[in-house]
Amino acid sequence: MDFRHLGSTGLIISEIAYGNWLTHGSQVEEETALACVRAALDAGITTFDTADVYAQGRAEEVLGRALKGERRDGLEIFSKVFWPMGEGRNDKGLSRKHIIRGVEDSLRRLGTDYLDLYQAHRFDYTTPLEETMRAFEDLVRQGKVLYVGVSEWRAEEIERALRIADEMGFDRIVSNQPQYNMLWRVIESEVVPLCEREGLGQIVWSPIAGGVLSGKYKPGREAPAGSRAADPKHGHFVAGLTGDEALLEKVQRLEPLAAEAGLSLPQLAVAWVLQNSNVSAAIIGASRPEQVEDNVQAAGVKLEADLLARIDGVLGESVKRDPALTVSPENVRGR
């Protein structure tokens, strides 16, 4: 495993992190989830990312049990707050009440007394940003949170948060967690340049595009049994990609490029993300330990410029680049 600093902070994290969105407490049985975490630890992964909303708290609980007994100072545990966790009016968003309540619940479920990174899971248009930033600052001062980050925020939203922190003397946000992969590059034109200037790192999710960049979805064929696309509960997350046969054909054309580099297609996808110097870590998920063991082989891989250009040539117009595609709900309290 290779390691990187989280943005310009002193915190060192594994450049491949393990995340449990859609898996722990939901898609896979707990025994398998525990085996996946063990495979991640055995491979040298020290950074684990979750969120309160994943399986409505069950994902945090499973991860807490999986990491029990590990040396806490040797791990970096990240979680997030924003999405509804109940039916109450204040059970969602980034109000002071929900943030303070949310971190206490996450700490209890994870079985730890602090989080290395606590992230605003989306931007909240219904709460003053100053209120949100002060609540995060208080958690840092209390030692319950060491660093604060955001997820899926636009460049102008990140910039506003940085200015408020500077004006009010708060600790700054240190990271952003966006979707980023060969097919989804919406952060490159605005978010990445801002974060490079201001010292924020990207902790990117879906580097394999929900499994689409693994090559397992073949044009003209049904989704493999056990895959995310075949899952009636979670298939909608990748339906837009798996239903595009022209795109799936392009992905198949990436396979020989991966082979030339001595990589599997999933390894190529993860390695591609890590070529961006603003990326602090790529989050991988897994429904089987073998997937973890395969994906971690992308750590430390350097891809030649010619190979990167050939990948772009294959994917062409299928790549999404519009920064306006980064969205947060206009009214989370109406959800």
Side-chain angles (χ1 to χ4, degrees):
M1 181 55 57
D2 281 22
F3 297 84
R4 302 183 179 192
H5 283 271
L6 178 56
S8 61
T9 74
L11 182 66
I12 299 171
I13 63 177
S14 53
E15 69 175 16
I16 296 180
Y18 181 89
N20 66 355
W21 176 53
L22 298 184
T23 52
H24 294 188
S26 180
Q27 190 178 11
V28 302
E29 298 296 328
E30 180 155 349
E31 184 178 349
T32 302
L34 298 180
C36 288
V37 172
R38 174 47 53 192
L41 291 165
D42 289 346
I45 290 176
T46 60
T47 305
F48 294 85
D49 180 82
T50 188
D52 56 4
V53 75
Y54 296 167
Q56 287 293 292
R58 294 189 301 278
E60 287 184 325
E61 291 173 349
V62 172
L63 183 61
R65 288 191 287 271
L67 295 176
K68 188 175 182 180
E70 296 295 320
R71 190 174 73 89
R72 180 64 182 88
D73 286 347
L75 302 173
E76 303 85 48
I77 300 176
F78 302 168
S79 195
K80 312 180 199 72
V81 63
F82 171 81
W83 293 107
M85 288 297 291
E87 298 299 321
R89 293 184 300 276
N90 292 301
D91 291 340
K92 49 203 164 187
L94 296 177
S95 69
R96 180 181 185 83
K97 182 178 178 70
H98 185 54
I99 288 172
I100 301 301
R101 180 67 174 179
V103 79
E104 295 289 356
D105 288 343
S106 288
L107 293 174
R108 172 179 49 79
R109 287 189 289 258
L110 286 161
T112 184
D113 57 1
Y114 74 95
L115 294 173
D116 295 272
L117 180 69
Y118 199 35
Q119 302 156 96
H121 210 161
R122 290 294 186 277
F123 188 83
D124 186 355
Y125 294 101
T126 68
T127 298
L129 188 51
E130 291 82 358
E131 176 182 339
T132 296
M133 296 299 294
R134 185 176 288 281
F136 281 135
E137 171 72 5
D138 286 348
L139 294 180
V140 172
R141 298 280 76 78
Q142 293 166 18
K144 294 177 180 177
V145 169
L146 304 187
Y147 298 90
V148 176
V150 300
S151 177
E152 292 292 347
W153 282 27
R154 296 187 178 190
E156 61 268 24
E157 295 161 354
I158 294 172
E159 192 163 31
R160 278 183 57 201
L162 293 171
R163 297 291 81 80
I164 288 171
D166 290 346
E167 291 167 4
M168 301 182 77
F170 296 162
D171 277 17
R172 294 172 128 223
I173 56 176
V174 302
S175 62
N176 179 46
Q177 186 175 134
Q179 180 180 183
Y180 184 54
N181 54 59
M182 291 180 190
L183 301 172
W184 190 267
R185 309 186 195 182
V186 304
I187 63 170
E188 289 183 341
S189 62
E190 296 180 359
V191 168
V192 167
L194 169 68
C195 290
E196 286 177 335
R197 290 196 308 271
E198 299 288 350
L200 280 72
Q202 308 299 317
I203 308 163
V204 304
W205 60 275
S206 200
I208 311 176
V212 172
L213 288 171
S214 72
K216 64 185 172 185
Y217 299 110
K218 313 292 184 184
R221 299 188 200 172
E222 289 192 5
S227 67
R228 184 169 297 173
D231 185 337
K233 194 155 62 167
H234 301 127
H236 65 283
F237 287 109
V238 292
L241 297 177
T242 57
D244 185 342
E245 293 208 359
L247 171 62
L248 297 183
E249 189 276 330
K250 290 178 180 178
V251 172
Q252 296 302 307
R253 287 164 51 198
L254 293 176
E255 204 140 17
L257 301 186
E260 284 181 30
L263 303 169
S264 69
L265 197 43
Q267 289 167 1
L268 178 68
V270 176
W272 183 92
V273 162
L274 293 172
Q275 304 312 296
N276 189 320
S277 60
N278 191 230
V279 170
S280 296
I283 301 171
I284 62 168
S287 55
R288 303 188 311 277
E290 309 87 77
Q291 292 173 324
V292 177
E293 293 159 4
D294 180 81
N295 291 173
V296 295
Q297 301 304 313
V301 170
K302 303 302 179 189
L303 302 179
E304 298 293 334
D306 175 67
L307 176 58
L308 296 173
R310 291 164 68 194
I311 290 170
D312 289 349
V314 169
L315 296 177
E317 296 302 315
S318 295
V319 176
K320 303 296 184 187
R321 302 179 184 275
D322 184 358
L325 292 171
T326 297
V327 294
S328 294
E330 291 291 337
N331 183 12
V332 67
R333 300 189 186 283
R335 288 177 64 87

